[in-house]
Amino acid sequence: MAAPEAAAEAALGCLGLDGQARVRARGPALRVLARLGDRAHRPLPVLLRLAGEEGDPETAAALWAAGGPGVTGRVLELLAAGLDAERWQDRHEALRTVALVGPAAAPLLPALRGFAARPEELGAWPAGALARALWRVGGTPEETLAATFRAWDRLRGNRPDMAEIWAGMGSAAAPAVPLLRAELASSRRHDNDGAARGRMR
């Protein structure tokens, strides 16, 4: 059995577990199937069933990877529900998956723009995911830049992802140049927030 097929079989086995074992294994199994992409075509019926019974953004990501355009409608339903979730973690995961779906998620642009207009509704990590989703789905450079600036300011950990977005935007990201220069000149870059890493003994 080829490695992708073996990985898909193992992931399906995890999704077939019961009780707490399934609760613990479900997320990692779905992430494996999402990474396998269309090489995980065999699990598609299982993923469609999961989407109907207990769909969430992680299910949407695996379903999109396995089924592509043929499951767009169902994937967008799951993502719309995820964007409307109460927990910021669920909204974060939904935004990450929206970015993976890309232009096919254009019907969700109004929801993304709603978050951009009310940034207080998102946590610091989802702010970075929102910026990436806007860029990948088809937001304008202006609204994408505004979202990246907010994410850059809210959390240092967002900065590498925002820099990657600016690189993809090319000259449209020229307003970000001062931020990049300041970051390069700083002794405390994105991975150094000044927090104590432990005490000397």
Side-chain angles (χ1 to χ4, degrees):
M1 182 180 293
E5 294 175 355
E9 288 292 337
L12 283 174
C14 291
L15 293 176
L17 296 172
D18 295 320
Q20 285 301 310
R22 184 179 186 279
V23 171
R24 289 192 296 271
R26 182 180 183 277
L30 288 171
R31 288 191 287 274
V32 166
L33 294 176
R35 290 184 181 132
L36 286 173
D38 58 8
R39 292 174 296 176
H41 185 73
R42 182 180 172 277
L44 185 56
V46 175
L47 293 172
L48 285 168
R49 176 176 57 77
L50 283 178
E53 295 175 355
E54 49 181 286
D56 59 14
E58 283 192 320
T59 305
L63 185 58
W64 174 255
V71 295
T72 299
R74 190 69 188 99
V75 168
L76 294 186
E77 289 176 9
L78 295 176
L79 293 178
L83 293 175
D84 198 40
E86 292 186 8
R87 297 192 331 141
W88 71 263
Q89 293 93 335
D90 295 328
R91 294 196 297 270
H92 183 212
E93 191 62 38
L95 287 165
R96 284 166 51 90
T97 305
V98 168
L100 291 175
V101 173
L108 299 178
L109 263 176
L112 301 183
R113 288 171 173 151
F115 282 131
R118 302 182 302 278
E120 68 280 357
E121 294 184 6
L122 290 178
W125 284 112
L130 172 62
R132 182 176 292 277
L134 279 169
W135 176 240
R136 293 292 305 277
V137 174
T140 65
E142 292 79 10
E143 67 185 350
T144 300
L145 272 177
T148 59
F149 290 157
R150 282 193 295 269
W152 179 278
D153 288 338
R154 293 195 71 178
L155 189 72
R156 288 179 181 271
N158 285 331
R159 294 184 178 185
D161 286 341
M162 299 308 99
E164 181 183 340
I165 293 171
W166 294 335
M169 294 177 71
S171 60
V177 169
L179 290 176
L180 291 169
R181 285 177 173 160
E183 186 75 1
L184 289 171
S186 174
S187 60
R188 286 185 175 175
R189 297 185 186 172
H190 68 273
D191 60 348
N192 183 354
D193 60 5
R197 304 300 182 189
R199 296 181 178 177
M200 300 269 304
R201 294 186 184 274

